[in-house]
């Protein structure tokens, strides 16, 4: 925890010119003039109003950004109690309508490059035309409002157009990146029973080609509701689709012509599903998280304008895959006048300079990535400005895991004192950040600038008492429009309630997120990592249960435990050891370790191959049989064993002793 008497140094403060230019400044002035609340002098005053008058704040966002709708915008908040707060119950709207609204057809919409494609660009006119073609093709395939269209596609412009097309019809989007193993994809997509599968034939990563046609055939077998598969030639200009059933090449399914001449938008109820994202599968199958058109629209209008400060002529690059919510977040930048930069490939191939090369070539102004990438650059001694002109970069965003103070300092040492570094923390669950960047506030070493507008963030102790200056559970005590409308298939809402609203026995319920957070006296925040067992590596979030399913498929292994430990020297993405209990007579030799790695790579993702594998005699479990992942992680991070876990609650308390001994050697 931080020392309140010793505030960390200020690394950056916005100039008066930058404050005046920030989109947040005229918004605060407009709020003061139209709502008669004194919020112009202090961001924290604006934030306080935004969480004290939640309905009034989101009504102001609606009005300020002129949300186009049918019906009435009254009331903004029908029912204010979580878990099922009722937002704008009488309004219908369309997310993609606001993306395309008022855009100059000749203006730049996006730039894109990959290990297979040279740098290129699409104008707004081209993006609209491609979106219209896909929408017409999907309509011809029978896709309509409420149908699910799933994408096994990389971070390409066609993927952006496909999402906008799907949502323009009132259909529901869901995506996984093609480096997900087949089992992980099936575990996600099968739950929502899609009718159309969009996919690539393969991809290139780290200089290696990965054919995906055989994988697609397997997906078709496991997704019986899929009636049509449309394949984008990516690895090969003319892939052989013979192994697939009912498969059509992209340009044949989505041809140019009169039918694709126009793009229309189905306005749907505020709660109508826009997309389905997924939890990481920590305690079983990944939870299918449903977000609504209206909630995501309002949140991203707020976030991209007022916090990201994306404006005309800005070019926003955020390294992500289509299996991470940051892809959805990046597409949301198109709600502003800024353009986006897409990159598909290995950010470390041929070296860690590749993203900085892309930033230079695209004139990137906001460079976003995971904290692990910045830590990797630091560890590698990379100097991104050496031999590159990165003068266009005015802001650097970091997310995915906490950025260390050393990482903060590295950004300023390498990119200059006038760089706005904003570290953010949120989640797939809300597709945004609860805490993070504010363009009108200073940046303190190792700290996130402030809670986001409309997010009533508190830090609670184990007894549900809020505190300042101490580490606790991150909770939201007021609703947020981008909270899920529910989990797919969870008609009664019990899984949704159990996931977020039952940890603290309070009335009314509060959202408990699963992060350790400290709120400082200065209004800044510090994130200490997950208080649950999600593993985020290279932008791909994977639950431990998915890794266990892969590992336990091997006959030699009867039980397993995996954790991800941040901050260990020599492991920029975090140290991810796997602990296995072997079947009697089995040996943990190089052959078995290799087969473990291969199984995890193929079933889960290459990024989740463990750094080390250790044999143990038993996995520590609670009396109810749950694996003690978080306590083991905390022990390996140096916490006292008696504080990390209550031995009275364990079925086999002696099983912890092995990890205590290991921690003493680290």
């Amino acid at each position: 925890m931080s020392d309140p008497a010793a505030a960390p140094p200020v690394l950056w403060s916005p100039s008066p010119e930058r404050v005046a230019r920030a989109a947040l400044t005229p918004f605060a002035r407009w709020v003061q003039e139209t709502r008669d609340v004194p919020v112009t002098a202090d961001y924290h005053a604006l934030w306080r109003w935004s969480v004290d008058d939640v309905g009034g704040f989101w009504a102001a966002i609606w009005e300020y950004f002129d949300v186009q709708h049918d019906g009435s915008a009254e009331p903004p908040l029908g029912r204010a109690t979580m878990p099922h707060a009722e937002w704008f119950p009488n309004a219908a709207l369309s997310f993609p309508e606001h993306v395309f609204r008022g855009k100059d057809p000749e203006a730049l919409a996006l730039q894109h490059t990959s290990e297979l494609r040279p740098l290129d660009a699409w104008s707004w006119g081209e993006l609209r035309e491609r979106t219209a073609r896909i929408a017409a093709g999907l309509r011809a395939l029978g896709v309509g409002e409420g149908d699910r269209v799933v994408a096994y596609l990389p971070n390409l412009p066609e993927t952006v157009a496909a999402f906008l097309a799907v949502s323009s019809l009132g259909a529901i989007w869901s995506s996984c990146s093609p480096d997900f193993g087949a089992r992980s994809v099936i575990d996600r997509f099968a739950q929502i029973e899609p009718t159309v599968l969009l996919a690539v034939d393969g991809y290139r990563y780290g200089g290696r080609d990965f054919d995906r046609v055989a994988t697609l055939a397997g997906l078709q077998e496991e997704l019986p509701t899929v009636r049509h598969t449309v394949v984008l030639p990516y690895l090969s200009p003319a892939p052989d689709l013979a192994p697939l059933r009912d498969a059509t090449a992209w340009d044949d399914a989505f041809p140019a012509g009169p039918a694709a001449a126009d793009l229309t938008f189905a306005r749907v109820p505020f709660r109508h599903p826009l997309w389905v994202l997924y939890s990481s599968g920590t305690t079983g199958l990944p939870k299918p998280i449903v977000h609504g058109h209206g909630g995501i629209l309002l949140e991203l209008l707020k976030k991209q304008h007022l916090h990201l400060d994306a404006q005309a002529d800005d070019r926003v690059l955020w390294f992500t895959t289509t299996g991470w919510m940051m892809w959805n977040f990046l597409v949301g930048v198109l709600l502003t006048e800024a353009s986006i930069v897409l990159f598909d490939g290995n950010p470390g191939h041929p070296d860690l300079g590749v993203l900085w090369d892309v930033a230079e070539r695209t004139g990137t102004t906001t460079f976003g990535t995971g904290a692990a990438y910045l830590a990797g650059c630091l560890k590698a001694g990379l100097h991104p400005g050496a031999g590159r002109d990165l003068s266009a970069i005015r802001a650097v965003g970091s997310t995915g895991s906490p950025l260390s103070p050393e990482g903060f300092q590295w950004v300023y040492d390498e990119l200059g004192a006038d760089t706005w570094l904003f570290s953010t923390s949120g989640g797939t669950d809300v597709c945004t950040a609860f805490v993070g960047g504010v363009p009108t506030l200073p940046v303190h070493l190792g700290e996130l600038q402030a809670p986001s507008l409309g997010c009533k963030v508190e830090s609670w102790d184990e007894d549900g008492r809020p505190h300042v200056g101490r580490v606790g559970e991150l909770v939201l005590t007021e609703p947020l429009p981008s909270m899920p409308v529910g989990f797919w298939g969870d008609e009664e809402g019990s899984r949704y309630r159990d996931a977020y609203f039952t940890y603290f026995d309070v009335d009314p319920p509060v959202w408990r997120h699963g992060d350790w957070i400290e709120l400082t006296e200065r209004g800044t925040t510090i994130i200490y990592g997950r208080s649950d067992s999600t593993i985020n590596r290279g932008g791909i979030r994977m639950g431990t249960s998915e890794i266990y399913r892969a590992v336990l498929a091997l006959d030699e292994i009867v039980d397993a435990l995996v954790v991800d430990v941040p901050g260990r020297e020599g492991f920029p993405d975090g140290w991810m050891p796997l602990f296995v209990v072997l079947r009697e007579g089995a040996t943990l030799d190089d052959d078995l370790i290799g087969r473990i790695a291969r199984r995890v790579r193929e079933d889960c993702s290459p990024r989740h191959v463990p750094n080390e594998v250790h044999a143990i005699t038993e996995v520590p479990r609670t009396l109810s049989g749950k694996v003690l992942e978080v306590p083991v992680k905390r022990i390996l991070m140096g916490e006292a064993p008696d504080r990390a876990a209550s031995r009275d609650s364990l079925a086999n308390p002696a099983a912890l002793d092995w990890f205590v001994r290991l921690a003493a050697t680290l």
Side-chain angles (χ1 to χ4, degrees):
M1 104 180 32
S2 64
D3 178 0
V10 172
L11 299 177
W12 176 84
S13 291
S15 66
E17 294 77 17
R18 199 146 184 175
V19 171
R21 179 185 180 274
L24 190 62
T25 299
F27 173 74
R29 187 164 55 244
W30 177 85
V31 166
Q32 182 158 308
E33 292 171 352
T34 61
R35 270 56 178 177
D36 194 28
V37 288
V39 296
T40 58
D42 178 20
Y43 171 81
H44 295 288
L46 180 62
W47 175 80
R48 176 55 58 190
W49 169 75
S50 78
V51 296
D52 286 347
D53 184 4
V54 175
F57 169 72
W58 290 104
I61 292 291
W62 183 289
E63 181 181 346
Y64 188 77
F65 292 109
D66 189 25
V67 171
Q68 302 297 293
H69 64 283
D70 294 331
S72 172
E74 295 293 336
L77 188 54
R79 181 177 63 245
T81 304
M82 295 181 283
H84 296 293
E86 189 179 48
W87 296 97
F88 297 90
N90 299 314
L93 44 70
S94 167
F95 179 93
E97 180 179 359
H98 292 80
V99 169
F100 285 103
R101 178 179 58 169
K103 295 303 191 335
D104 177 358
E106 302 300 319
L108 177 67
L110 60 85
Q111 298 176 83
H112 63 98
T113 187
S114 75
E115 292 190 29
L116 284 165
R117 290 179 174 178
L119 180 63
D120 201 359
W122 282 14
S123 68
W124 274 103
E126 183 168 7
L127 178 58
R128 186 180 185 103
E129 192 271 338
R130 297 285 193 117
T131 301
R133 283 169 55 179
I134 298 171
L138 290 173
R139 196 180 293 112
L141 293 176
V143 174
E145 191 171 306
D147 288 331
R148 277 77 67 202
V149 177
V150 294
Y152 194 46
L153 294 170
N155 187 17
L156 302 176
E158 291 91 344
T159 312
V160 175
F163 157 66
L164 295 170
V166 168
S167 55
S168 76
L169 300 173
I172 303 165
W173 172 266
S174 193
S175 64
C176 287
S177 65
D179 57 358
F180 272 42
R183 186 74 257 159
S184 293
V185 177
I186 293 163
D187 285 348
R188 288 160 170 78
F189 288 168
Q191 296 186 70
I192 65 173
E193 300 180 306
T195 59
V196 174
L197 169 63
L198 308 177
V200 285
D201 61 315
Y203 66 97
R204 181 173 294 166
Y205 188 88
R208 293 180 55 202
D209 291 345
F210 297 85
D211 189 286
R212 277 295 182 252
V213 173
T215 303
L216 289 179
L219 294 182
Q220 289 183 325
E221 289 299 316
E222 297 285 346
L223 299 173
T225 58
V226 170
R227 301 192 303 264
H228 304 282
T229 300
V230 182
V231 180
L232 175 68
Y234 184 47
L235 183 61
S236 168
D240 179 11
L241 304 184
L244 306 177
R245 61 170 171 82
D246 301 319
T248 309
W250 193 271
D251 287 343
D252 293 334
F254 308 136
D262 197 15
L263 180 62
T264 58
F265 304 99
R267 290 184 177 177
V268 293
F270 190 92
R271 286 174 51 85
H272 183 81
L274 173 66
W275 55 48
V276 180
L277 306 182
Y278 300 91
S279 72
S280 54
T282 298
T283 55
L285 286 176
K287 299 178 182 69
I289 301 168
V290 184
H291 291 129
H293 271 249
I296 290 296
L297 174 63
L298 286 188
E299 174 58 36
L300 294 185
L301 283 171
K302 176 208 78 176
K303 194 68 182 177
Q304 314 304 36
H305 284 93
L306 304 181
H307 289 278
L308 188 65
D309 200 30
Q311 301 190 32
D313 299 325
D314 277 333
R315 301 179 178 194
V316 180
L317 182 158
W318 208 293
F319 175 72
T320 182
T321 72
T322 57
W324 189 21
M325 60 140 284
M326 289 308 300
W327 182 84
N328 306 71
F329 185 88
L330 179 61
V331 172
V333 173
L334 296 176
L335 290 165
T336 74
E337 294 299 314
S339 62
I340 61 176
V341 180
L342 312 177
F343 172 76
D344 173 50
N346 185 340
H349 177 79
D351 56 53
L352 285 168
V354 64
L355 288 183
W356 302 106
D357 291 338
V358 173
E360 178 187 34
R361 293 163 60 206
T362 57
T364 290
T365 60
T366 298
F367 181 94
T369 186
Y373 175 78
L374 296 175
C377 291
L378 184 160
K379 296 284 187 182
L382 183 73
H383 301 291
R388 300 181 185 91
D389 180 5
L390 299 177
S391 58
I393 295 178
R394 66 175 184 86
V396 172
S398 173
T399 192
S401 58
L403 181 63
S404 68
E406 294 80 8
F408 272 73
Q409 190 62 59
W410 180 86
V411 169
Y412 283 94
D413 289 344
E414 297 296 334
L415 297 179
D418 197 33
T419 305
W420 169 36
L421 170 61
F422 57 94
S423 180
T424 70
S425 183
T428 299
D429 325 75
V430 289
C431 202
T432 192
F434 300 124
V435 292
V438 179
T440 59
L441 290 180
V443 174
H444 292 263
L445 180 70
E447 297 184 349
L448 289 70
Q449 288 174 283
S452 300
L453 295 174
C455 296
K456 194 167 186 182
V457 175
E458 295 183 1
S459 176
W460 281 21
D461 67 17
E462 59 187 12
D463 296 318
R465 294 173 299 205
H467 51 220
V468 174
R470 293 170 52 202
V471 180
E473 290 277 355
L474 189 161
V475 302
L476 264 68
T477 58
E478 294 290 346
L480 193 66
S482 67
M483 287 176 177
V485 299
F487 294 159
W488 192 270
D490 181 29
E491 303 301 334
E492 296 181 353
S494 58
R495 292 178 67 206
Y496 178 49
R497 287 192 298 273
D498 289 346
Y500 306 111
F501 299 101
T502 59
Y503 186 87
F504 291 104
D505 185 16
V506 293
D507 188 24
V510 299
W511 172 290
R512 177 257 183 180
H513 189 62
D515 274 346
W516 299 121
I517 188 173
E518 177 185 347
L519 307 179
T520 75
E521 298 284 355
R522 300 178 304 283
T524 60
T525 67
I526 306 170
I527 296 291
Y528 290 90
R530 297 295 292 171
S531 60
D532 63 18
S533 52
T534 301
I535 297 178
N536 185 334
R537 291 172 73 84
I540 294 180
R541 300 169 74 247
M542 195 70 63
T544 53
S545 65
E546 296 189 83
I547 297 170
Y548 297 150
R549 280 198 293 272
V551 171
L552 295 176
L554 297 169
D555 290 339
E556 295 90 339
I557 298 174
V558 297
D559 206 354
L561 183 152
V562 66
V563 293
D564 188 32
V565 180
R568 189 174 174 199
E569 186 73 20
F571 298 91
D573 284 331
W575 176 50
M576 181 180 155
L578 171 68
F579 306 96
V580 296
V581 179
L582 299 175
R583 191 175 302 279
E584 187 174 353
T587 302
L588 186 63
D589 54 17
D590 290 344
D591 174 71
L592 180 55
I593 292 172
R595 286 189 286 125
I596 290 171
R598 185 162 58 251
R599 194 75 193 224
V600 172
R601 182 182 296 109
E602 292 174 357
D603 285 3
C604 300
S605 93
R607 294 166 176 80
H608 287 79
V609 173
N611 296 116
E612 299 174 10
V613 183
H614 299 268
I616 57 176
T617 56
E618 58 180 337
V619 169
R621 295 181 179 272
T622 66
L623 293 171
S624 61
K626 293 183 180 179
V627 178
L628 260 70
E629 293 155 337
V630 172
V632 166
K633 175 178 176 175
R634 291 163 65 181
I635 288 170
L636 296 180
M637 291 176 66
E639 187 163 339
D642 290 340
R643 291 190 59 187
S646 170
R647 289 179 177 256
D648 292 340
S649 66
L650 304 187
N652 52 350
L656 274 184
D657 295 338
W658 190 94
F659 297 93
V660 174
R661 291 193 296 271
L662 176 62
T665 69
L666 299 178

